[in-house]
Amino acid sequence: MASTNGMIDPDDVVMLLIDHQSGLFNTVQDVPVPDLRNYAIALAKTASLLKIPVVTTASVPDGPNGPLIPEIHQYAPHAQFIPRTGQINAWDNPPFVEAIEKTGRKTVVIAGTLTSVCMAFPAISAIDAGYKAYCVVDASGNWSKMATDITIARVAQAGAIPMDTFAMVAELMRTWNRAEGSQFGAIIAEHIVPTYKCLMESYDKAQAVVKDGPETMMDKFQ
């Protein structure tokens, strides 16, 4: 796009989906786990639609933290998985950073479970390394709301930009007037705001009534 008007440039983004692991999801208390799962899927699908590079990693996946949820690589099959060797901060793992550097992109969009560790630590390190960092808080998940509130303050003071999944998808999408517009609408309706699907269904029905007439034919019973 010619101008970003201060918004995120999708062509400069690399998405980092960190430690969305089945075991760690059991510790999440600040967002319903089904919602968290859907928000992570929404980011994966959005990255695929826009051909945004994705780097994933997991913390001790053979242990109690468990495997990455399968939907991440299912909906972002181009994602590169980097196994870690014990590092809590993914940015301390050289292959993880090398994978990011190879994309040539300087804006990182980060979501990680838990928020105060797996999202926050790499975000702070990325900023220190000269990247612009956006933290998708509700696609991360934390062990308490207080911990999330403190983390948002910490990453913001470090220079990162906290966001929610809906805003991130909308900002990357930029306009409905594009070939993938309906696919973005499906991501929002299916994974972020299910009530939006009700709105879409009502609109579809209204359009059908205009085209085909009312199904109830109530005028015949007056």
Side-chain angles (χ1 to χ4, degrees):
M1 294 181 180
S3 173
T4 64
N5 289 330
M7 301 285 102
I8 300 171
D9 178 4
D11 293 331
D12 190 50
V13 169
V14 52
M15 190 173 290
L16 311 180
L17 300 179
I18 301 171
D19 299 351
H20 288 99
Q21 296 171 247
S22 297
L24 290 175
F25 273 21
N26 285 292
T27 67
V28 171
Q29 299 291 326
D30 65 330
V31 57
V33 169
D35 291 350
L36 169 60
R37 199 171 191 121
N38 269 303
Y39 299 154
I41 293 171
L43 292 180
K45 285 187 171 182
T46 299
S48 290
L49 264 184
L50 295 174
K51 297 180 173 55
I52 291 174
V54 178
V55 180
T56 67
T57 184
S59 172
V60 200
D62 294 326
N65 290 351
L68 287 179
I69 60 171
E71 295 96 328
I72 297 286
H73 281 262
Q74 176 183 349
Y75 294 115
H78 65 296
Q80 182 178 2
F81 175 71
I82 304 293
R84 299 211 300 282
T85 51
Q87 299 90 352
I88 293 174
N89 180 357
W91 208 271
D92 288 339
N93 182 271
F96 181 78
V97 177
E98 289 167 7
I100 296 166
E101 292 174 343
K102 284 181 180 177
T103 68
R105 301 186 174 205
K106 298 299 289 183
T107 301
V108 294
V109 170
I110 304 177
T113 307
L114 296 170
T115 310
S116 53
V117 177
C118 308
M119 183 204 76
F121 292 179
I124 294 168
S125 295
I127 292 166
D128 185 64
Y131 289 81
K132 193 169 187 177
Y134 292 83
C135 297
V136 190
V137 177
D138 59 352
S140 296
N142 217 350
W143 64 276
S144 78
K145 182 181 181 304
M146 179 183 289
T148 300
D149 292 343
I150 294 168
T151 300
I152 291 172
R154 184 184 184 193
V155 298
Q157 288 175 350
I161 302 167
M163 291 184 66
D164 64 89
T165 303
F166 197 162
M168 178 55 66
V169 172
E171 189 160 338
L172 291 171
M173 173 186 173
R174 291 293 297 279
T175 175
W176 289 104
N177 187 16
R178 59 187 305 160
E180 311 92 338
S182 62
Q183 296 178 74
F184 280 108
I187 291 173
I188 293 169
E190 292 173 10
H191 300 295
I192 305 175
V193 186
T195 50
Y196 189 60
K197 192 169 187 176
C198 298
L199 184 151
M200 294 169 72
E201 290 168 347
S202 295
Y203 176 77
D204 288 344
K205 179 60 179 177
Q207 293 294 303
V209 169
V210 170
K211 179 181 178 183
D212 304 324
E215 64 176 299
T216 53
M217 305 296 181
M218 293 184 67
D219 57 313
K220 299 184 183 304
F221 298 96
Q222 291 178 350

PDB file of all heavy atoms in Angstrom, residues 135-171:
ATOM      1  N   CYS A 135       2.200  -5.912  20.649  1.00  0.00           N
ATOM      2  CA  CYS A 135       1.858  -7.047  21.516  1.00  0.00           C
ATOM      3  C   CYS A 135       0.350  -7.287  21.482  1.00  0.00           C
ATOM      4  O   CYS A 135      -0.424  -6.403  21.874  1.00  0.00           O
ATOM      5  CB  CYS A 135       2.294  -6.769  22.948  1.00  0.00           C
ATOM      6  SG  CYS A 135       4.084  -6.576  23.152  1.00  0.00           S
ATOM      7  N   VAL A 136      -0.064  -8.460  21.020  1.00  0.00           N
ATOM      8  CA  VAL A 136      -1.493  -8.780  20.955  1.00  0.00           C
ATOM      9  C   VAL A 136      -1.857  -9.463  22.276  1.00  0.00           C
ATOM     10  O   VAL A 136      -1.667 -10.674  22.449  1.00  0.00           O
ATOM     11  CB  VAL A 136      -1.812  -9.670  19.748  1.00  0.00           C
ATOM     12  CG1 VAL A 136      -3.327  -9.784  19.575  1.00  0.00           C
ATOM     13  CG2 VAL A 136      -1.177  -9.100  18.480  1.00  0.00           C
ATOM     14  N   VAL A 137      -2.376  -8.669  23.196  1.00  0.00           N
ATOM     15  CA  VAL A 137      -2.522  -9.108  24.586  1.00  0.00           C
ATOM     16  C   VAL A 137      -3.562 -10.210  24.735  1.00  0.00           C
ATOM     17  O   VAL A 137      -3.332 -11.206  25.430  1.00  0.00           O
ATOM     18  CB  VAL A 137      -2.866  -7.899  25.478  1.00  0.00           C
ATOM     19  CG1 VAL A 137      -3.091  -8.348  26.914  1.00  0.00           C
ATOM     20  CG2 VAL A 137      -1.738  -6.864  25.416  1.00  0.00           C
ATOM     21  N   ASP A 138      -4.731 -10.064  24.078  1.00  0.00           N
ATOM     22  CA  ASP A 138      -5.773 -11.062  24.301  1.00  0.00           C
ATOM     23  C   ASP A 138      -5.519 -12.361  23.530  1.00  0.00           C
ATOM     24  O   ASP A 138      -6.218 -13.356  23.752  1.00  0.00           O
ATOM     25  CB  ASP A 138      -7.163 -10.498  23.966  1.00  0.00           C
ATOM     26  CG  ASP A 138      -7.290 -10.027  22.531  1.00  0.00           C
ATOM     27  OD1 ASP A 138      -6.274  -9.992  21.812  1.00  0.00           O
ATOM     28  OD2 ASP A 138      -8.422  -9.671  22.126  1.00  0.00           O
ATOM     29  N   ALA A 139      -4.512 -12.380  22.655  1.00  0.00           N
ATOM     30  CA  ALA A 139      -4.108 -13.629  21.991  1.00  0.00           C
ATOM     31  C   ALA A 139      -2.916 -14.241  22.706  1.00  0.00           C
ATOM     32  O   ALA A 139      -2.233 -15.104  22.149  1.00  0.00           O
ATOM     33  CB  ALA A 139      -3.786 -13.370  20.528  1.00  0.00           C
ATOM     34  N   SER A 140      -2.670 -13.797  23.932  1.00  0.00           N
ATOM     35  CA  SER A 140      -1.538 -14.300  24.712  1.00  0.00           C
ATOM     36  C   SER A 140      -2.038 -15.139  25.895  1.00  0.00           C
ATOM     37  O   SER A 140      -1.950 -16.346  25.871  1.00  0.00           O
ATOM     38  CB  SER A 140      -0.676 -13.122  25.181  1.00  0.00           C
ATOM     39  OG  SER A 140      -0.105 -12.469  24.045  1.00  0.00           O
ATOM     40  N   GLY A 141      -2.629 -14.495  26.901  1.00  0.00           N
ATOM     41  CA  GLY A 141      -3.169 -15.260  28.030  1.00  0.00           C
ATOM     42  C   GLY A 141      -2.201 -15.309  29.188  1.00  0.00           C
ATOM     43  O   GLY A 141      -1.026 -15.630  29.021  1.00  0.00           O
ATOM     44  N   ASN A 142      -2.739 -14.979  30.375  1.00  0.00           N
ATOM     45  CA  ASN A 142      -1.871 -14.870  31.549  1.00  0.00           C
ATOM     46  C   ASN A 142      -2.498 -15.542  32.759  1.00  0.00           C
ATOM     47  O   ASN A 142      -3.670 -15.884  32.753  1.00  0.00           O
ATOM     48  CB  ASN A 142      -1.604 -13.390  31.858  1.00  0.00           C
ATOM     49  CG  ASN A 142      -0.197 -13.158  32.350  1.00  0.00           C
ATOM     50  OD1 ASN A 142       0.528 -14.095  32.640  1.00  0.00           O
ATOM     51  ND2 ASN A 142       0.189 -11.900  32.438  1.00  0.00           N
ATOM     52  N   TRP A 143      -1.711 -15.684  33.805  1.00  0.00           N
ATOM     53  CA  TRP A 143      -2.191 -16.412  34.985  1.00  0.00           C
ATOM     54  C   TRP A 143      -3.065 -15.562  35.891  1.00  0.00           C
ATOM     55  O   TRP A 143      -3.746 -16.091  36.765  1.00  0.00           O
ATOM     56  CB  TRP A 143      -1.017 -16.988  35.760  1.00  0.00           C
ATOM     57  CG  TRP A 143      -0.095 -15.942  36.332  1.00  0.00           C
ATOM     58  CD1 TRP A 143       0.926 -15.303  35.701  1.00  0.00           C
ATOM     59  CD2 TRP A 143      -0.143 -15.429  37.655  1.00  0.00           C
ATOM     60  NE1 TRP A 143       1.520 -14.411  36.548  1.00  0.00           N
ATOM     61  CE2 TRP A 143       0.897 -14.475  37.758  1.00  0.00           C
ATOM     62  CE3 TRP A 143      -0.946 -15.675  38.767  1.00  0.00           C
ATOM     63  CZ2 TRP A 143       1.134 -13.760  38.936  1.00  0.00           C
ATOM     64  CZ3 TRP A 143      -0.703 -14.973  39.931  1.00  0.00           C
ATOM     65  CH2 TRP A 143       0.325 -14.027  40.015  1.00  0.00           C
ATOM     66  N   SER A 144      -3.080 -14.222  35.707  1.00  0.00           N
ATOM     67  CA  SER A 144      -4.004 -13.376  36.464  1.00  0.00           C
ATOM     68  C   SER A 144      -4.194 -12.058  35.727  1.00  0.00           C
ATOM     69  O   SER A 144      -3.325 -11.643  34.937  1.00  0.00           O
ATOM     70  CB  SER A 144      -3.479 -13.090  37.873  1.00  0.00           C
ATOM     71  OG  SER A 144      -2.472 -12.090  37.859  1.00  0.00           O
ATOM     72  N   LYS A 145      -5.321 -11.385  35.993  1.00  0.00           N
ATOM     73  CA  LYS A 145      -5.571 -10.090  35.368  1.00  0.00           C
ATOM     74  C   LYS A 145      -4.572  -9.060  35.867  1.00  0.00           C
ATOM     75  O   LYS A 145      -4.123  -8.196  35.107  1.00  0.00           O
ATOM     76  CB  LYS A 145      -7.005  -9.636  35.661  1.00  0.00           C
ATOM     77  CG  LYS A 145      -7.357  -8.310  34.993  1.00  0.00           C
ATOM     78  CD  LYS A 145      -8.765  -7.875  35.304  1.00  0.00           C
ATOM     79  CE  LYS A 145      -9.090  -6.541  34.596  1.00  0.00           C
ATOM     80  NZ  LYS A 145      -8.138  -5.488  34.935  1.00  0.00           N
ATOM     81  N   MET A 146      -4.215  -9.157  37.159  1.00  0.00           N
ATOM     82  CA  MET A 146      -3.243  -8.207  37.692  1.00  0.00           C
ATOM     83  C   MET A 146      -1.915  -8.329  36.956  1.00  0.00           C
ATOM     84  O   MET A 146      -1.272  -7.331  36.603  1.00  0.00           O
ATOM     85  CB  MET A 146      -3.022  -8.419  39.193  1.00  0.00           C
ATOM     86  CG  MET A 146      -1.990  -7.462  39.795  1.00  0.00           C
ATOM     87  SD  MET A 146      -1.672  -7.759  41.546  1.00  0.00           S
ATOM     88  CE  MET A 146      -3.225  -7.190  42.252  1.00  0.00           C
ATOM     89  N   ALA A 147      -1.489  -9.560  36.711  1.00  0.00           N
ATOM     90  CA  ALA A 147      -0.229  -9.775  35.990  1.00  0.00           C
ATOM     91  C   ALA A 147      -0.304  -9.180  34.586  1.00  0.00           C
ATOM     92  O   ALA A 147       0.684  -8.609  34.088  1.00  0.00           O
ATOM     93  CB  ALA A 147       0.078 -11.267  35.921  1.00  0.00           C
ATOM     94  N   THR A 148      -1.461  -9.301  33.944  1.00  0.00           N
ATOM     95  CA  THR A 148      -1.617  -8.722  32.606  1.00  0.00           C
ATOM     96  C   THR A 148      -1.557  -7.202  32.653  1.00  0.00           C
ATOM     97  O   THR A 148      -0.902  -6.568  31.821  1.00  0.00           O
ATOM     98  CB  THR A 148      -2.951  -9.177  31.986  1.00  0.00           C
ATOM     99  OG1 THR A 148      -2.952 -10.597  31.898  1.00  0.00           O
ATOM    100  CG2 THR A 148      -3.134  -8.598  30.590  1.00  0.00           C
ATOM    101  N   ASP A 149      -2.237  -6.604  33.640  1.00  0.00           N
ATOM    102  CA  ASP A 149      -2.224  -5.141  33.763  1.00  0.00           C
ATOM    103  C   ASP A 149      -0.796  -4.631  33.964  1.00  0.00           C
ATOM    104  O   ASP A 149      -0.379  -3.629  33.358  1.00  0.00           O
ATOM    105  CB  ASP A 149      -3.104  -4.706  34.941  1.00  0.00           C
ATOM    106  CG  ASP A 149      -4.583  -4.979  34.695  1.00  0.00           C
ATOM    107  OD1 ASP A 149      -4.964  -5.200  33.523  1.00  0.00           O
ATOM    108  OD2 ASP A 149      -5.349  -4.985  35.671  1.00  0.00           O
ATOM    109  N   ILE A 150      -0.047  -5.310  34.818  1.00  0.00           N
ATOM    110  CA  ILE A 150       1.339  -4.903  35.080  1.00  0.00           C
ATOM    111  C   ILE A 150       2.176  -5.065  33.811  1.00  0.00           C
ATOM    112  O   ILE A 150       3.010  -4.210  33.477  1.00  0.00           O
ATOM    113  CB  ILE A 150       1.923  -5.745  36.230  1.00  0.00           C
ATOM    114  CG1 ILE A 150       1.191  -5.426  37.541  1.00  0.00           C
ATOM    115  CG2 ILE A 150       3.428  -5.497  36.389  1.00  0.00           C
ATOM    116  CD1 ILE A 150       1.497  -6.401  38.664  1.00  0.00           C
ATOM    117  N   THR A 151       1.949  -6.154  33.084  1.00  0.00           N
ATOM    118  CA  THR A 151       2.720  -6.421  31.871  1.00  0.00           C
ATOM    119  C   THR A 151       2.462  -5.382  30.794  1.00  0.00           C
ATOM    120  O   THR A 151       3.386  -4.942  30.097  1.00  0.00           O
ATOM    121  CB  THR A 151       2.387  -7.824  31.335  1.00  0.00           C
ATOM    122  OG1 THR A 151       2.709  -8.796  32.331  1.00  0.00           O
ATOM    123  CG2 THR A 151       3.173  -8.131  30.067  1.00  0.00           C
ATOM    124  N   ILE A 152       1.192  -4.986  30.629  1.00  0.00           N
ATOM    125  CA  ILE A 152       0.874  -3.956  29.631  1.00  0.00           C
ATOM    126  C   ILE A 152       1.643  -2.670  29.940  1.00  0.00           C
ATOM    127  O   ILE A 152       2.206  -2.029  29.046  1.00  0.00           O
ATOM    128  CB  ILE A 152      -0.652  -3.704  29.592  1.00  0.00           C
ATOM    129  CG1 ILE A 152      -1.363  -4.921  29.009  1.00  0.00           C
ATOM    130  CG2 ILE A 152      -0.971  -2.453  28.775  1.00  0.00           C
ATOM    131  CD1 ILE A 152      -2.874  -4.860  29.110  1.00  0.00           C
ATOM    132  N   ALA A 153       1.686  -2.306  31.234  1.00  0.00           N
ATOM    133  CA  ALA A 153       2.439  -1.108  31.626  1.00  0.00           C
ATOM    134  C   ALA A 153       3.923  -1.289  31.326  1.00  0.00           C
ATOM    135  O   ALA A 153       4.585  -0.372  30.817  1.00  0.00           O
ATOM    136  CB  ALA A 153       2.223  -0.833  33.113  1.00  0.00           C
ATOM    137  N   ARG A 154       4.442  -2.480  31.605  1.00  0.00           N
ATOM    138  CA  ARG A 154       5.878  -2.708  31.403  1.00  0.00           C
ATOM    139  C   ARG A 154       6.269  -2.641  29.932  1.00  0.00           C
ATOM    140  O   ARG A 154       7.232  -1.971  29.565  1.00  0.00           O
ATOM    141  CB  ARG A 154       6.290  -4.069  31.982  1.00  0.00           C
ATOM    142  CG  ARG A 154       7.797  -4.283  31.867  1.00  0.00           C
ATOM    143  CD  ARG A 154       8.251  -5.651  32.325  1.00  0.00           C
ATOM    144  NE  ARG A 154       9.709  -5.721  32.260  1.00  0.00           N
ATOM    145  CZ  ARG A 154      10.410  -6.840  32.357  1.00  0.00           C
ATOM    146  NH1 ARG A 154       9.787  -7.986  32.545  1.00  0.00           N
ATOM    147  NH2 ARG A 154      11.725  -6.820  32.275  1.00  0.00           N
ATOM    148  N   VAL A 155       5.532  -3.347  29.065  1.00  0.00           N
ATOM    149  CA  VAL A 155       5.914  -3.358  27.650  1.00  0.00           C
ATOM    150  C   VAL A 155       5.692  -1.987  27.016  1.00  0.00           C
ATOM    151  O   VAL A 155       6.444  -1.573  26.121  1.00  0.00           O
ATOM    152  CB  VAL A 155       5.178  -4.467  26.863  1.00  0.00           C
ATOM    153  CG1 VAL A 155       5.538  -5.845  27.400  1.00  0.00           C
ATOM    154  CG2 VAL A 155       3.672  -4.251  26.851  1.00  0.00           C
ATOM    155  N   ALA A 156       4.652  -1.276  27.475  1.00  0.00           N
ATOM    156  CA  ALA A 156       4.414   0.063  26.934  1.00  0.00           C
ATOM    157  C   ALA A 156       5.558   1.004  27.315  1.00  0.00           C
ATOM    158  O   ALA A 156       6.017   1.808  26.490  1.00  0.00           O
ATOM    159  CB  ALA A 156       3.083   0.604  27.439  1.00  0.00           C
ATOM    160  N   GLN A 157       6.042   0.908  28.568  1.00  0.00           N
ATOM    161  CA  GLN A 157       7.167   1.738  28.982  1.00  0.00           C
ATOM    162  C   GLN A 157       8.431   1.380  28.201  1.00  0.00           C
ATOM    163  O   GLN A 157       9.298   2.232  27.982  1.00  0.00           O
ATOM    164  CB  GLN A 157       7.393   1.581  30.487  1.00  0.00           C
ATOM    165  CG  GLN A 157       6.311   2.249  31.319  1.00  0.00           C
ATOM    166  CD  GLN A 157       6.460   1.985  32.802  1.00  0.00           C
ATOM    167  OE1 GLN A 157       7.263   1.162  33.217  1.00  0.00           O
ATOM    168  NE2 GLN A 157       5.676   2.687  33.609  1.00  0.00           N
ATOM    169  N   ALA A 158       8.524   0.129  27.772  1.00  0.00           N
ATOM    170  CA  ALA A 158       9.693  -0.295  26.998  1.00  0.00           C
ATOM    171  C   ALA A 158       9.594   0.155  25.538  1.00  0.00           C
ATOM    172  O   ALA A 158      10.588   0.083  24.804  1.00  0.00           O
ATOM    173  CB  ALA A 158       9.839  -1.819  27.065  1.00  0.00           C
ATOM    174  N   GLY A 159       8.377   0.578  25.127  1.00  0.00           N
ATOM    175  CA  GLY A 159       8.213   1.058  23.757  1.00  0.00           C
ATOM    176  C   GLY A 159       7.355   0.189  22.868  1.00  0.00           C
ATOM    177  O   GLY A 159       7.167   0.496  21.688  1.00  0.00           O
ATOM    178  N   ALA A 160       6.816  -0.917  23.414  1.00  0.00           N
ATOM    179  CA  ALA A 160       5.930  -1.781  22.634  1.00  0.00           C
ATOM    180  C   ALA A 160       4.511  -1.197  22.618  1.00  0.00           C
ATOM    181  O   ALA A 160       4.173  -0.341  23.440  1.00  0.00           O
ATOM    182  CB  ALA A 160       5.903  -3.193  23.210  1.00  0.00           C
ATOM    183  N   ILE A 161       3.710  -1.671  21.671  1.00  0.00           N
ATOM    184  CA  ILE A 161       2.357  -1.161  21.497  1.00  0.00           C
ATOM    185  C   ILE A 161       1.372  -2.287  21.780  1.00  0.00           C
ATOM    186  O   ILE A 161       1.277  -3.235  21.000  1.00  0.00           O
ATOM    187  CB  ILE A 161       2.167  -0.627  20.068  1.00  0.00           C
ATOM    188  CG1 ILE A 161       3.203   0.472  19.792  1.00  0.00           C
ATOM    189  CG2 ILE A 161       0.747  -0.110  19.868  1.00  0.00           C
ATOM    190  CD1 ILE A 161       3.313   0.852  18.339  1.00  0.00           C
ATOM    191  N   PRO A 162       0.640  -2.214  22.917  1.00  0.00           N
ATOM    192  CA  PRO A 162      -0.349  -3.266  23.219  1.00  0.00           C
ATOM    193  C   PRO A 162      -1.568  -3.118  22.321  1.00  0.00           C
ATOM    194  O   PRO A 162      -2.025  -2.005  22.065  1.00  0.00           O
ATOM    195  CB  PRO A 162      -0.717  -2.993  24.691  1.00  0.00           C
ATOM    196  CG  PRO A 162       0.307  -2.019  25.193  1.00  0.00           C
ATOM    197  CD  PRO A 162       0.754  -1.230  23.995  1.00  0.00           C
ATOM    198  N   MET A 163      -2.093  -4.240  21.857  1.00  0.00           N
ATOM    199  CA  MET A 163      -3.288  -4.233  21.014  1.00  0.00           C
ATOM    200  C   MET A 163      -4.136  -5.457  21.332  1.00  0.00           C
ATOM    201  O   MET A 163      -3.694  -6.366  22.015  1.00  0.00           O
ATOM    202  CB  MET A 163      -2.893  -4.254  19.524  1.00  0.00           C
ATOM    203  CG  MET A 163      -2.232  -2.981  19.039  1.00  0.00           C
ATOM    204  SD  MET A 163      -1.904  -3.011  17.259  1.00  0.00           S
ATOM    205  CE  MET A 163      -3.567  -3.034  16.582  1.00  0.00           C
ATOM    206  N   ASP A 164      -5.361  -5.476  20.787  1.00  0.00           N
ATOM    207  CA  ASP A 164      -6.197  -6.662  20.868  1.00  0.00           C
ATOM    208  C   ASP A 164      -6.292  -7.297  19.480  1.00  0.00           C
ATOM    209  O   ASP A 164      -5.913  -6.688  18.470  1.00  0.00           O
ATOM    210  CB  ASP A 164      -7.591  -6.322  21.412  1.00  0.00           C
ATOM    211  CG  ASP A 164      -8.348  -5.406  20.471  1.00  0.00           C
ATOM    212  OD1 ASP A 164      -9.049  -5.911  19.560  1.00  0.00           O
ATOM    213  OD2 ASP A 164      -8.232  -4.171  20.619  1.00  0.00           O
ATOM    214  N   THR A 165      -6.792  -8.512  19.437  1.00  0.00           N
ATOM    215  CA  THR A 165      -6.805  -9.271  18.191  1.00  0.00           C
ATOM    216  C   THR A 165      -7.658  -8.600  17.114  1.00  0.00           C
ATOM    217  O   THR A 165      -7.254  -8.522  15.949  1.00  0.00           O
ATOM    218  CB  THR A 165      -7.331 -10.695  18.442  1.00  0.00           C
ATOM    219  OG1 THR A 165      -6.513 -11.312  19.445  1.00  0.00           O
ATOM    220  CG2 THR A 165      -7.268 -11.537  17.185  1.00  0.00           C
ATOM    221  N   PHE A 166      -8.837  -8.105  17.513  1.00  0.00           N
ATOM    222  CA  PHE A 166      -9.730  -7.472  16.540  1.00  0.00           C
ATOM    223  C   PHE A 166      -9.029  -6.286  15.881  1.00  0.00           C
ATOM    224  O   PHE A 166      -9.035  -6.125  14.642  1.00  0.00           O
ATOM    225  CB  PHE A 166     -11.018  -7.028  17.238  1.00  0.00           C
ATOM    226  CG  PHE A 166     -12.177  -6.744  16.311  1.00  0.00           C
ATOM    227  CD1 PHE A 166     -13.468  -6.711  16.802  1.00  0.00           C
ATOM    228  CD2 PHE A 166     -11.988  -6.514  14.950  1.00  0.00           C
ATOM    229  CE1 PHE A 166     -14.552  -6.465  15.969  1.00  0.00           C
ATOM    230  CE2 PHE A 166     -13.058  -6.262  14.111  1.00  0.00           C
ATOM    231  CZ  PHE A 166     -14.347  -6.232  14.621  1.00  0.00           C
ATOM    232  N   ALA A 167      -8.407  -5.437  16.712  1.00  0.00           N
ATOM    233  CA  ALA A 167      -7.723  -4.260  16.172  1.00  0.00           C
ATOM    234  C   ALA A 167      -6.568  -4.672  15.265  1.00  0.00           C
ATOM    235  O   ALA A 167      -6.338  -4.053  14.215  1.00  0.00           O
ATOM    236  CB  ALA A 167      -7.223  -3.381  17.315  1.00  0.00           C
ATOM    237  N   MET A 168      -5.834  -5.725  15.658  1.00  0.00           N
ATOM    238  CA  MET A 168      -4.700  -6.155  14.846  1.00  0.00           C
ATOM    239  C   MET A 168      -5.166  -6.639  13.471  1.00  0.00           C
ATOM    240  O   MET A 168      -4.609  -6.267  12.427  1.00  0.00           O
ATOM    241  CB  MET A 168      -3.929  -7.268  15.566  1.00  0.00           C
ATOM    242  CG  MET A 168      -2.756  -7.825  14.774  1.00  0.00           C
ATOM    243  SD  MET A 168      -1.561  -6.556  14.253  1.00  0.00           S
ATOM    244  CE  MET A 168      -0.925  -6.029  15.857  1.00  0.00           C
ATOM    245  N   VAL A 169      -6.206  -7.479  13.451  1.00  0.00           N
ATOM    246  CA  VAL A 169      -6.710  -7.987  12.167  1.00  0.00           C
ATOM    247  C   VAL A 169      -7.214  -6.827  11.303  1.00  0.00           C
ATOM    248  O   VAL A 169      -6.925  -6.745  10.101  1.00  0.00           O
ATOM    249  CB  VAL A 169      -7.824  -9.030  12.392  1.00  0.00           C
ATOM    250  CG1 VAL A 169      -8.485  -9.418  11.068  1.00  0.00           C
ATOM    251  CG2 VAL A 169      -7.254 -10.268  13.076  1.00  0.00           C
ATOM    252  N   ALA A 170      -7.962  -5.900  11.923  1.00  0.00           N
ATOM    253  CA  ALA A 170      -8.505  -4.768  11.164  1.00  0.00           C
ATOM    254  C   ALA A 170      -7.398  -3.869  10.629  1.00  0.00           C
ATOM    255  O   ALA A 170      -7.476  -3.376   9.494  1.00  0.00           O
ATOM    256  CB  ALA A 170      -9.454  -3.970  12.053  1.00  0.00           C
ATOM    257  N   GLU A 171      -6.362  -3.654  11.445  1.00  0.00           N
ATOM    258  CA  GLU A 171      -5.273  -2.764  11.009  1.00  0.00           C
ATOM    259  C   GLU A 171      -4.463  -3.398   9.875  1.00  0.00           C
ATOM    260  O   GLU A 171      -4.036  -2.709   8.953  1.00  0.00           O
ATOM    261  CB  GLU A 171      -4.367  -2.420  12.194  1.00  0.00           C
ATOM    262  CG  GLU A 171      -3.352  -1.333  11.878  1.00  0.00           C
ATOM    263  CD  GLU A 171      -2.799  -0.659  13.118  1.00  0.00           C
ATOM    264  OE1 GLU A 171      -3.457  -0.708  14.190  1.00  0.00           O
ATOM    265  OE2 GLU A 171      -1.704  -0.077  13.036  1.00  0.00           O
TER     266      GLU A 171
END
